[in-house]
């Protein structure tokens, strides 16, 4: 006999991005809204759950639920619902003039959670920002308040107490014109060896494709980096590395 267990998944509601709907793997799941009031699950007969003001908690199941945020003119952003992690990195988002992005902290637990946010700019590490998220509720922070004026930011989010699922939406606009939106995927902790696959090739001098590599060094010492590119023609070290 083999037994397995799966954690419950929290799904964010992105009120600043228009409308949000959660797509479940199937029907007949136990769900409850993360609304600081009720903690009782109810059985749903629908596979699509529209969200208005509160995030959603989907009970343990082997599937993956998805949260879809859509806004007229901005497009569609999709992220998997998450059980949360006590230590996450987000490399992306902007605190510049065009930013409308948010960092959403969803506390699906039954006690208050203590979270520390460590922002990084392209030049320095900023002071830590402590946040307390009430039990069974969510907190939304604007990216331009975490790193004002920074066009290329990074965030290290550490949950000290409680169970928090973190979501970063990068949404931008210029005046009345939307520049689009997308969720930023959480990344692994800093390491000494990385492999990136599926890089779109640069085909000839007339190609408009440009690839960028951003390096974050969160420690107090300088880093010496060696980069090797592997293609169908063999291995080579790009200019500058």
């Amino acid at each position: 006999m083999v037994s397995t267990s799966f954690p419950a998944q929290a799904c964010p509601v992105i009120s600043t991005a228009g409308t949000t709907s959660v797509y479940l793997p199937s029907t007949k799941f136990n769900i409850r809204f993360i609304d600081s009031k009720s903690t009782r699950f109810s059985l749903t007969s629908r596979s699509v759950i529209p969200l208005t003001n509160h995030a959603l908690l989907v009970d343990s199941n082997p599937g993956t639920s998805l949260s879809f945020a859509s806004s007229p003119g901005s497009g569609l952003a999709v992220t998997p619902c998450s059980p949360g992690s006590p230590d996450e990195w987000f490399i992306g988002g902007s605190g510049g003039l065009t930013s409308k992005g948010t960092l959403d902290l969803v506390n699906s637990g039954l006690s208050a959670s203590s979270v520390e946010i460590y922002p990084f700019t392209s030049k320095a590490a900023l002071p830590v920002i402590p946040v307390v998220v009430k039990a069974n509720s969510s907190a939304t922070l604007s990216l331009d308040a975490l790193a004002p004026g920074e066009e290329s930011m990074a965030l290290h989010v550490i949950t000290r107490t409680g169970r928090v699922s973190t979501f970063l939406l990068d949404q931008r606009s210029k005046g009345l014109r939307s520049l689009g939106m997308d969720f930023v995927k959480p990344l692994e902790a800093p390491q000494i060896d990385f492999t990136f696959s599926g890089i779109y090739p640069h085909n000839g001098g007339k190609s408009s494709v440009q690839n960028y590599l951003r390096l974050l060094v969160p420690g107090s010492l300088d880093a010496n980096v060696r980069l090797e590119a592997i293609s169908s023609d063999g291995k080579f070290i790009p200019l500058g590395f």
Side-chain angles (χ1 to χ4, degrees):
M1 178 179 178
V2 178
S3 62
T4 58
S5 61
F6 301 90
Q9 303 171 0
C11 309
V13 56
I14 310 297
S15 58
T16 60
T19 60
T20 306
S21 296
V22 173
Y23 286 71
L24 306 179
S26 65
T27 58
K28 297 183 179 180
F29 279 5
N30 284 314
I31 62 172
R32 70 171 173 86
F33 291 100
I34 302 174
D35 58 4
S36 74
K37 298 177 182 179
S38 174
T39 58
R40 177 177 297 179
F41 283 92
S42 60
L43 189 65
T44 178
S45 60
R46 297 179 296 171
S47 61
V48 180
I49 311 296
L51 303 184
T52 52
N53 299 319
H54 304 294
L56 185 75
L57 186 66
V58 183
D59 200 9
S60 172
N61 69 86
T64 299
S65 301
L66 300 173
S67 188
F68 283 71
S70 61
S71 178
S74 294
L76 178 69
V78 184
T79 186
C81 301
S82 168
S85 173
D87 193 325
E88 292 184 301
W89 290 81
F90 295 89
I91 313 299
S94 168
L97 294 176
T98 63
S99 175
K100 294 177 60 180
T102 57
L103 180 72
D104 287 86
L105 307 173
V106 181
N107 178 11
S108 57
L110 305 182
S111 61
S113 293
S114 176
V115 179
E116 293 179 352
I117 303 171
Y118 295 81
F120 293 85
T121 71
S122 56
K123 297 180 180 179
L126 301 181
V128 59
I129 301 174
V131 179
V132 174
V133 186
K134 296 181 180 179
N136 194 30
S137 68
S138 304
T140 301
L141 295 85
S142 298
L143 297 186
D144 56 4
L146 299 177
E150 177 59 32
E151 294 294 342
S152 300
M153 64 191 299
L155 297 175
H156 184 196
V157 182
I158 299 177
T159 301
R160 296 297 183 186
T161 60
R163 183 179 63 204
V164 173
S165 301
T166 308
F167 304 91
L168 193 154
L169 179 71
D170 185 10
Q171 184 180 12
R172 309 191 193 190
S173 63
K174 189 173 184 180
L176 299 178
R177 182 167 62 94
S178 172
L179 301 179
M181 64 180 184
D182 202 358
F183 283 97
V184 176
K185 179 183 177 182
L187 301 177
E188 300 174 351
Q191 302 179 36
I192 60 174
D193 193 357
F194 287 95
T195 300
F196 302 95
S197 60
I199 300 176
Y200 198 83
H202 187 285
N203 297 320
K206 296 182 180 181
S207 175
S208 61
V209 175
Q210 293 182 325
N211 296 313
Y212 296 91
L213 176 67
R214 291 181 58 202
L215 303 174
L216 170 66
V217 184
S220 57
L221 299 177
D222 293 344
N224 295 316
V225 179
R226 183 180 188 273
L227 177 65
E228 184 178 66
I230 304 174
S231 69
S232 58
D233 297 329
K235 300 180 180 180
F236 65 96
I237 298 178
L239 184 65
F241 288 90

